[in-house]
Amino acid sequence: MQTDSDPIIAIATAPGRGGIGVIRVSGPDLHGWAESLCRQPLQPRHAHFLAFRDVRGETLDEGLVLFFPGPHSYTGEDVLELQGHGGPAVLRRVLEDCLARGADIGLRLAQPGEFTQRAFLNDRMDLAQAEAVADLIEASSAAAAKSAMASLSGAFSAEVDALSQRIVKLRMLVEATLDFPEEEIDFLEKYQASARLHEVQASLERVLQTARQGRVLREGLYVVLAGQPNVGKSSLLNALAGEDVAIVTPIAGTTRDRVVQQIHLEGVPLHIVDTAGLREATDAVERIGIERSWAEIGRAQVIVHLQDARQPDDPLDADIVRRLPVGVPVLRVWNKVDLLASSPSVPGSSEGEARRTEGHDAALATPPIGSCDENPVLISARTGTGLDELRTRLLGIAGWTPGAESPWLARERHIQALEEAGEHLRVAAGYAAQGDQILDLFAEELRLAHESLCRITGQFTSDDLLGEIFSSFCIGK
């Protein structure tokens, strides 16, 4: 049966070939085993160059060995690192030899995130910092990496701890008043409890707003481009990506399956999905592609409904709008505005040339029936017209403030905990307004707010949550 005290081992570098490969071992009282493995004394935190030999004395590899005695190590336990060549076969041979020679001490393969989990359990870092380790590894932009490093350094935790301490001080005053009711102190007036509570609420709201920015920077936005065939979805994807990631032809129905591309706007990752054109299809392959398009639309956080600016009254677009999921932001974008002046007529119109310019302008100014956005974006994916406005609108929907810089990253569970704490403080303020007669309820809401904040750093955390968090880490970290 596996326990948290078992010695563990894993390859800590990414799979594949590389110049250097690292094998990491962690566990209590590893010093004697480590020296036996290396066949020489090991000076703490000193690099030793030596050959990695198996039990028969055959050289498997050569490289550096570093030994970090606990508690002054990453995990808080004794840690041994073998740094050799990065070939998969070489690393695997060394790993298998270590496991065979560590059988007598119960050495086993580490689970995903188990090294960082032990760092948390041994008080080397709190839970928010531990999560920042995974965020730093997964960061897809320089801004995200910078903010993840700030979280790992404890910037977010410090903000949360400061809020917690202010609530604790207020709780202490309340509890003392409840313990000595004979003093007949007007608590709320004497200690200005309401004013102090409002200050804490304001501080929490500032932290919450920053955390929301941090969540956007970490998670980004899943954006689906939807519309009829040949309205320019693939061209728009290429224009946003800055490269030809999707095939573009004049033939309607060219895109048969989704194309996903990640781009960054001010460091915020946007996952842009190009989909097959939406229409009634008789071709079996195209029909499957359209079904997948609707499936992607169902998963979207934002839908960009792309339309041809030369056909503002197309009834098929109104049908598409009616089928879009409720509750998902829809950004209406009219493409090909560069072709308005040269268009001979509006397709499907009997007005012809008379509507070529003024008619189009009027149509663009009056959104068609069924529109989800009364302020459409006018663009040309071919020339780049309007793309800056589109980028700004997408960031706005994501909740990102242009020019802002999130000092740390945050996750959805952090946002929920902060919002719960804010709600408890709001209820507490309501009790405070009713006077000292219900101080016990006031104190209880302060306690619940404090517990909500403590869940962020892991002071009150269920084992199930820990398992969920650390299982998402890569093996060896």
Side-chain angles (χ1 to χ4, degrees), residues 386-410:
L387 292 186
D388 285 343
E389 181 185 354
L390 175 59
R391 296 184 181 100
T392 300
R393 294 279 288 277
L394 286 172
L395 286 174
I397 293 173
W400 183 258
T401 303
E405 181 175 320
S406 178
W408 25 261
L409 295 187

Side-chain angles (χ1 to χ4, degrees), residues 406-422:
S406 178
W408 25 261
L409 295 187
R411 298 188 173 203
E412 181 61 31
R413 76 170 195 91
H414 303 153
I415 305 298
Q416 292 177 356
L418 289 167
E419 289 175 343
E420 288 177 14

